[in-house]
Amino acid sequence: MNALKQKFKDVVFAVLPVTIILLILNYTIAPIGRELVWRFIVGAVFIILGLGIFLFGADPGHPAHRPAHGLVHYEKKEPAAAFNNRPCSGLFHKHSRA
């Protein structure tokens, strides 16, 4: 249950600043109407609920991060004869270590 609370807390801290900025702009510089503001607030609540539930379910689907998991090492090798006179020819040779 703590993980779900943490996900909702993270999502609230991500969505709330944008919502507050829009509300401040609505009452100072660019009024957009009461009905549209309520739609925006309801949409922000649904975004918070949806993202919180989605991220709570998506996290167990990712394996634990390991230092050698998914690493690709790039090494500069001699370019092919057709690319010898190009300045960046050795940058695109990808080699992975097993």
Side-chain angles (χ1 to χ4, degrees):
M1 199 60 158
N2 287 335
L4 184 61
K5 286 181 185 179
Q6 181 63 36
K7 288 299 168 195
F8 277 115
K9 183 179 173 183
D10 292 343
V11 171
V12 166
F13 283 129
V15 174
L16 203 57
V18 176
T19 306
I20 291 172
I21 289 171
L22 183 115
L23 292 175
I24 290 171
L25 289 175
N26 176 48
Y27 292 113
T28 58
I29 297 174
I32 58 174
R34 188 173 279 171
E35 182 183 346
L36 198 54
V37 169
W38 279 111
R39 287 182 185 183
F40 181 78
I41 291 173
V42 169
V45 168
F46 281 131
I47 286 175
I48 290 171
L49 290 174
L51 271 176
I53 293 169
F54 171 76
L55 292 175
F56 178 71
D59 272 350
H62 295 288
H65 296 289
R66 285 173 251 142
H69 181 69
L71 290 179
V72 176
H73 300 280
Y74 291 90
E75 296 175 0
K76 187 173 180 179
K77 287 190 86 173
E78 284 298 317
F83 298 106
N84 278 341
N85 57 357
R86 295 190 180 155
C88 296
S89 61
L91 296 177
F92 302 107
H93 294 283
K94 181 172 74 170
H95 300 283
S96 61
R97 295 180 183 168

